[in-house]
C-alpha cells in the first residue's frame, strides 16, 4: 500500500477551520489549543485504564485500538497547536525531530 503523507496540509486545513470558527482572539486560541492537549492525554489514560480493565466496577471498557485512536488525537491536537503558534509548523517540527534523532540516535 502506497502512503502519501499530506499530514501538514490537513493540519493547515483543520487550523483554518478552527480559526474561522473561533470566537477568541489569536493569543487565546493558542492557549486553548495547548490546554486541549491535556484533555486529549487524559483520554489516552482513560483508554489505557479501560483496556486493562483496571477499574473493577467498570471492567474492560476500551480496546487497544481505542488507545491507538486516542494517541492519534493527541498527535493531531499537538500538530494543530503548533500550527496555531507558527505558520512554519512543519519546518519547526522537522528541525526538532532531526535534533532529537541526532541526539538520541547519534545521526
Amino acid at each position: 500500500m502506497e502512503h502519501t503523507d499530506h499530514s501538514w496540509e490537513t493540519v493547515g486545513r483543520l487550523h483554518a477551520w478552527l480559526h474561522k470558527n473561533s470566537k477568541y482572539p489569536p493569543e487565546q486560541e493558542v492557549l486553548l489549543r495547548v490546554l486541549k492537549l491535556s484533555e486529549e492525554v487524559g483520554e489516552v489514560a482513560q483508554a489505557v485504564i479501560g483496556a486493562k480493565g483496571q477499574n473493577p466496577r467498570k471492567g474492560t471498557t476500551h480496546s487497544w485500538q481505542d488507545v491507538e485512536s486516542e494517541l492519534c488525537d493527541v498527535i493531531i491536537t499537538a500538530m494543530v497547536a503548533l500550527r496555531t503558534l507558527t505558520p512554519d509548523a512543519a519546518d519547526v517540527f522537522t528541525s526538532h525531530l532531526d535534533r532529537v534523532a541526532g541526539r538520541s540516535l547519534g545521526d
Side-chain angles (χ1 to χ4, degrees):
M1 180 165 117
E2 188 175 322
H3 176 75
T4 304
D5 189 352
H6 58 275
S7 301
W8 285 107
E9 176 187 328
T10 303
V11 166
R13 291 175 41 228
L14 288 168
H15 169 263
W17 174 74
L18 286 167
H19 182 70
K20 178 182 172 189
N21 290 288
S22 177
K23 57 186 173 193
Y24 299 102
E27 63 276 359
Q28 285 185 2
E29 279 187 42
V30 171
L31 295 175
L32 292 170
R33 301 258 164 77
V34 171
L35 286 175
K36 179 74 173 163
L37 274 168
S38 293
E39 178 188 3
E40 295 296 343
V41 169
E43 291 176 11
V44 172
Q46 182 179 22
V48 169
I49 289 167
K52 294 296 287 179
Q54 197 264 333
N55 184 333
R57 183 175 54 82
K58 293 182 180 179
T60 302
T61 59
H62 291 75
S63 68
W64 286 105
Q65 288 76 25
D66 293 326
V67 176
E68 291 172 1
S69 179
E70 295 299 344
L71 284 169
C72 288
D73 287 348
V74 169
I75 294 165
I76 294 165
T77 302
M79 291 173 79
V80 171
L82 183 59
R83 173 54 190 88
T84 302
L85 193 60
T86 177
D88 299 323
D91 292 335
V92 169
F93 178 77
T94 299
S95 294
H96 189 77
L97 180 60
D98 290 346
R99 279 193 304 278
V100 170
R103 191 173 61 224
S104 301
L105 304 174
D107 291 347

